[in-house]
Amino acid sequence: MSRIVIDEDRCKGCGLCTQACPHNLVRISNRFNAKGYRPAELVDPEGRCVGCANCATMCPDVAIVVYRTRREKAAREQTPVVG
């Protein structure tokens, strides 16, 4: 299982992470942070986040951290990449 943590105080709500998520699990919140921006939030009640880190890569404010379990990480390393 993977998850992301968004530092809402750093997020300016640019929406790049929402566009980068292949499963549409990140959205812009309806609430405001301390700086007056609507930050991004993870909407993943079913645990579908695969930890691809596209959201974190796209974030210009470095406000997203991706956490993966060790089991997932090992499975990714054993999966052959064709190309």
Side-chain angles (χ1 to χ4, degrees), residues 31-53:
R31 66 184 184 287
F32 294 93
N33 65 13
K35 295 179 182 174
Y37 297 112
R38 291 177 35 204
E41 64 183 1
L42 176 66
V43 183
D44 189 16
E46 298 170 5
R48 296 185 329 160
C49 178
V50 296
C52 68

Side-chain angles (χ1 to χ4, degrees), residues 16-81:
L16 291 174
C17 56
T18 65
Q19 297 170 20
C21 181
H23 299 288
N24 297 317
L25 301 175
V26 183
R27 71 174 180 199
I28 299 298
S29 175
N30 289 327
R31 66 184 184 287
F32 294 93
N33 65 13
K35 295 179 182 174
Y37 297 112
R38 291 177 35 204
E41 64 183 1
L42 176 66
V43 183
D44 189 16
E46 298 170 5
R48 296 185 329 160
C49 178
V50 296
C52 68
N54 288 351
C55 57
T57 302
M58 291 301 295
C59 182
D61 301 311
V62 193
I64 302 174
V65 177
V66 179
Y67 294 94
R68 297 183 191 137
T69 60
R70 289 183 191 261
R71 188 177 307 148
E72 252 180 67
K73 206 175 191 181
R76 283 181 193 265
E77 290 171 357
Q78 292 176 4
T79 305
V81 177

